[in-house]
PDB file of all heavy atoms in Angstrom:
ATOM      1  N   ALA A 339     -12.258  38.704 -18.611  1.00 98.00           N
ATOM      2  CA  ALA A 339     -11.143  38.292 -19.473  1.00 98.00           C
ATOM      3  C   ALA A 339     -10.039  39.352 -19.470  1.00 98.00           C
ATOM      4  O   ALA A 339      -9.704  39.939 -20.501  1.00 98.00           O
ATOM      5  CB  ALA A 339     -11.634  38.034 -20.886  1.00 98.00           C
ATOM      6  N   GLU A 340      -9.470  39.590 -18.320  1.00 98.00           N
ATOM      7  CA  GLU A 340      -8.408  40.589 -18.183  1.00 98.00           C
ATOM      8  C   GLU A 340      -7.121  40.090 -18.827  1.00 98.00           C
ATOM      9  O   GLU A 340      -6.897  38.894 -18.975  1.00 98.00           O
ATOM     10  CB  GLU A 340      -8.173  40.892 -16.700  1.00 98.00           C
ATOM     11  CG  GLU A 340      -9.389  41.457 -15.998  1.00 98.00           C
ATOM     12  CD  GLU A 340      -9.119  41.742 -14.529  1.00 98.00           C
ATOM     13  OE1 GLU A 340      -8.060  41.326 -14.028  1.00 98.00           O
ATOM     14  OE2 GLU A 340      -9.968  42.387 -13.887  1.00 98.00           O
ATOM     15  N   GLY A 341      -6.259  41.039 -19.182  1.00 98.00           N
ATOM     16  CA  GLY A 341      -4.952  40.673 -19.710  1.00 98.00           C
ATOM     17  C   GLY A 341      -4.978  40.040 -21.090  1.00 98.00           C
ATOM     18  O   GLY A 341      -4.051  39.325 -21.464  1.00 98.00           O
ATOM     19  N   PHE A 342      -6.025  40.312 -21.887  1.00 98.00           N
ATOM     20  CA  PHE A 342      -6.083  39.802 -23.262  1.00 98.00           C
ATOM     21  C   PHE A 342      -5.013  40.483 -24.105  1.00 98.00           C
ATOM     22  O   PHE A 342      -4.785  41.692 -23.991  1.00 98.00           O
ATOM     23  CB  PHE A 342      -7.463  40.083 -23.849  1.00 98.00           C
ATOM     24  CG  PHE A 342      -7.591  39.789 -25.319  1.00 98.00           C
ATOM     25  CD1 PHE A 342      -7.911  38.515 -25.763  1.00 98.00           C
ATOM     26  CD2 PHE A 342      -7.391  40.790 -26.267  1.00 98.00           C
ATOM     27  CE1 PHE A 342      -8.042  38.252 -27.123  1.00 98.00           C
ATOM     28  CE2 PHE A 342      -7.515  40.537 -27.618  1.00 98.00           C
ATOM     29  CZ  PHE A 342      -7.839  39.258 -28.050  1.00 98.00           C
ATOM     30  N   VAL A 343      -4.360  39.714 -24.984  1.00 98.00           N
ATOM     31  CA  VAL A 343      -3.335  40.264 -25.873  1.00 98.00           C
ATOM     32  C   VAL A 343      -3.572  39.765 -27.290  1.00 98.00           C
ATOM     33  O   VAL A 343      -3.776  38.565 -27.515  1.00 98.00           O
ATOM     34  CB  VAL A 343      -1.910  39.856 -25.423  1.00 98.00           C
ATOM     35  CG1 VAL A 343      -0.863  40.378 -26.409  1.00 98.00           C
ATOM     36  CG2 VAL A 343      -1.605  40.371 -24.019  1.00 98.00           C
ATOM     37  N   LEU A 344      -3.540  40.686 -28.258  1.00 98.00           N
ATOM     38  CA  LEU A 344      -3.522  40.347 -29.682  1.00 98.00           C
ATOM     39  C   LEU A 344      -2.347  41.071 -30.293  1.00 98.00           C
ATOM     40  O   LEU A 344      -2.273  42.305 -30.257  1.00 98.00           O
ATOM     41  CB  LEU A 344      -4.822  40.779 -30.364  1.00 98.00           C
ATOM     42  CG  LEU A 344      -4.868  40.621 -31.888  1.00 98.00           C
ATOM     43  CD1 LEU A 344      -4.752  39.155 -32.284  1.00 98.00           C
ATOM     44  CD2 LEU A 344      -6.134  41.237 -32.459  1.00 98.00           C
ATOM     45  N   ARG A 345      -1.414  40.304 -30.881  1.00 98.00           N
ATOM     46  CA  ARG A 345      -0.229  40.954 -31.448  1.00 98.00           C
ATOM     47  C   ARG A 345       0.211  40.254 -32.731  1.00 98.00           C
ATOM     48  O   ARG A 345      -0.068  39.079 -32.972  1.00 98.00           O
ATOM     49  CB  ARG A 345       0.927  40.987 -30.440  1.00 98.00           C
ATOM     50  CG  ARG A 345       1.415  39.647 -29.937  1.00 98.00           C
ATOM     51  CD  ARG A 345       2.813  39.769 -29.291  1.00 98.00           C
ATOM     52  NE  ARG A 345       2.821  40.636 -28.147  1.00 98.00           N
ATOM     53  CZ  ARG A 345       2.810  40.212 -26.872  1.00 98.00           C
ATOM     54  NH1 ARG A 345       2.746  38.912 -26.608  1.00 98.00           N
ATOM     55  NH2 ARG A 345       2.842  41.070 -25.876  1.00 98.00           N
ATOM     56  N   ASN A 346       0.891  41.013 -33.577  1.00 98.00           N
ATOM     57  CA  ASN A 346       1.572  40.488 -34.770  1.00 98.00           C
ATOM     58  C   ASN A 346       0.636  39.735 -35.713  1.00 98.00           C
ATOM     59  O   ASN A 346       1.069  38.832 -36.429  1.00 98.00           O
ATOM     60  CB  ASN A 346       2.717  39.549 -34.368  1.00 98.00           C
ATOM     61  CG  ASN A 346       3.769  40.236 -33.540  1.00 98.00           C
ATOM     62  OD1 ASN A 346       4.072  41.406 -33.750  1.00 98.00           O
ATOM     63  ND2 ASN A 346       4.337  39.516 -32.573  1.00 98.00           N
ATOM     64  N   SER A 347      -0.640  40.086 -35.746  1.00 98.00           N
ATOM     65  CA  SER A 347      -1.613  39.321 -36.521  1.00 98.00           C
ATOM     66  C   SER A 347      -2.249  40.162 -37.617  1.00 98.00           C
ATOM     67  O   SER A 347      -2.220  41.396 -37.573  1.00 98.00           O
ATOM     68  CB  SER A 347      -2.704  38.773 -35.592  1.00 98.00           C
ATOM     69  OG  SER A 347      -2.165  37.848 -34.668  1.00 98.00           O
ATOM     70  N   ARG A 348      -2.818  39.481 -38.606  1.00 98.00           N
ATOM     71  CA  ARG A 348      -3.605  40.122 -39.654  1.00 98.00           C
ATOM     72  C   ARG A 348      -5.051  39.698 -39.491  1.00 98.00           C
ATOM     73  O   ARG A 348      -5.348  38.504 -39.417  1.00 98.00           O
ATOM     74  CB  ARG A 348      -3.107  39.692 -41.037  1.00 98.00           C
ATOM     75  CG  ARG A 348      -1.757  40.277 -41.411  1.00 98.00           C
ATOM     76  CD  ARG A 348      -1.277  39.739 -42.732  1.00 98.00           C
ATOM     77  NE  ARG A 348      -0.010  40.339 -43.115  1.00 98.00           N
ATOM     78  CZ  ARG A 348       0.869  39.805 -43.970  1.00 98.00           C
ATOM     79  NH1 ARG A 348       0.585  38.641 -44.537  1.00 98.00           N
ATOM     80  NH2 ARG A 348       1.982  40.410 -44.260  1.00 98.00           N
ATOM     81  N   VAL A 349      -5.957  40.681 -39.437  1.00 98.00           N
ATOM     82  CA  VAL A 349      -7.367  40.390 -39.198  1.00 98.00           C
ATOM     83  C   VAL A 349      -8.185  41.205 -40.186  1.00 98.00           C
ATOM     84  O   VAL A 349      -8.149  42.427 -40.171  1.00 98.00           O
ATOM     85  CB  VAL A 349      -7.765  40.731 -37.754  1.00 98.00           C
ATOM     86  CG1 VAL A 349      -9.132  40.130 -37.447  1.00 98.00           C
ATOM     87  CG2 VAL A 349      -6.728  40.225 -36.742  1.00 98.00           C
ATOM     88  N   ARG A 350      -8.957  40.527 -41.032  1.00 98.00           N
ATOM     89  CA  ARG A 350      -9.670  41.231 -42.093  1.00 98.00           C
ATOM     90  C   ARG A 350     -11.097  40.712 -42.257  1.00 98.00           C
ATOM     91  O   ARG A 350     -11.404  39.550 -41.983  1.00 98.00           O
ATOM     92  CB  ARG A 350      -8.915  41.103 -43.424  1.00 98.00           C
ATOM     93  CG  ARG A 350      -8.694  39.689 -43.916  1.00 98.00           C
ATOM     94  CD  ARG A 350      -7.937  39.657 -45.248  1.00 98.00           C
ATOM     95  NE  ARG A 350      -7.592  38.310 -45.668  1.00 98.00           N
ATOM     96  CZ  ARG A 350      -6.374  37.782 -45.587  1.00 98.00           C
ATOM     97  NH1 ARG A 350      -5.365  38.487 -45.093  1.00 98.00           N
ATOM     98  NH2 ARG A 350      -6.149  36.538 -46.002  1.00 98.00           N
ATOM     99  N   ASP A 351     -11.950  41.618 -42.703  1.00 98.00           N
ATOM    100  CA  ASP A 351     -13.300  41.305 -43.145  1.00 98.00           C
ATOM    101  C   ASP A 351     -14.216  40.799 -42.031  1.00 98.00           C
ATOM    102  O   ASP A 351     -14.827  39.722 -42.118  1.00 98.00           O
ATOM    103  CB  ASP A 351     -13.265  40.319 -44.328  1.00 98.00           C
ATOM    104  CG  ASP A 351     -12.641  40.937 -45.570  1.00 98.00           C
ATOM    105  OD1 ASP A 351     -12.676  42.179 -45.683  1.00 98.00           O
ATOM    106  OD2 ASP A 351     -12.117  40.195 -46.417  1.00 98.00           O
ATOM    107  N   PHE A 352     -14.320  41.610 -40.983  1.00 98.00           N
ATOM    108  CA  PHE A 352     -15.330  41.452 -39.938  1.00 98.00           C
ATOM    109  C   PHE A 352     -15.950  42.828 -39.701  1.00 98.00           C
ATOM    110  O   PHE A 352     -15.344  43.849 -40.006  1.00 98.00           O
ATOM    111  CB  PHE A 352     -14.720  40.939 -38.635  1.00 98.00           C
ATOM    112  CG  PHE A 352     -14.126  39.564 -38.729  1.00 98.00           C
ATOM    113  CD1 PHE A 352     -12.813  39.383 -39.147  1.00 98.00           C
ATOM    114  CD2 PHE A 352     -14.882  38.444 -38.407  1.00 98.00           C
ATOM    115  CE1 PHE A 352     -12.252  38.116 -39.241  1.00 98.00           C
ATOM    116  CE2 PHE A 352     -14.334  37.168 -38.498  1.00 98.00           C
ATOM    117  CZ  PHE A 352     -13.023  37.000 -38.921  1.00 98.00           C
ATOM    118  N   ASN A 353     -17.150  42.869 -39.126  1.00 98.00           N
ATOM    119  CA  ASN A 353     -17.760  44.166 -38.837  1.00 98.00           C
ATOM    120  C   ASN A 353     -16.977  44.901 -37.751  1.00 98.00           C
ATOM    121  O   ASN A 353     -16.738  46.100 -37.867  1.00 98.00           O
ATOM    122  CB  ASN A 353     -19.223  43.980 -38.441  1.00 98.00           C
ATOM    123  CG  ASN A 353     -20.053  43.433 -39.591  1.00 98.00           C
ATOM    124  OD1 ASN A 353     -19.721  43.651 -40.750  1.00 98.00           O
ATOM    125  ND2 ASN A 353     -21.111  42.709 -39.269  1.00 98.00           N
ATOM    126  N   SER A 354     -16.621  44.203 -36.704  1.00 98.00           N
ATOM    127  CA  SER A 354     -15.707  44.727 -35.689  1.00 98.00           C
ATOM    128  C   SER A 354     -14.715  43.612 -35.378  1.00 98.00           C
ATOM    129  O   SER A 354     -15.084  42.616 -34.742  1.00 98.00           O
ATOM    130  CB  SER A 354     -16.458  45.128 -34.420  1.00 98.00           C
ATOM    131  OG  SER A 354     -17.333  46.211 -34.660  1.00 98.00           O
TER     132      SER A 354
END
Side-chain angles (χ1 to χ4, degrees):
E340 299 180 350
F342 172 86
V343 177
L344 173 63
R345 60 163 62 101
N346 299 324
S347 296
R348 289 176 178 158
V349 193
R350 59 180 174 256
D351 294 335
F352 296 87
N353 295 333
S354 295

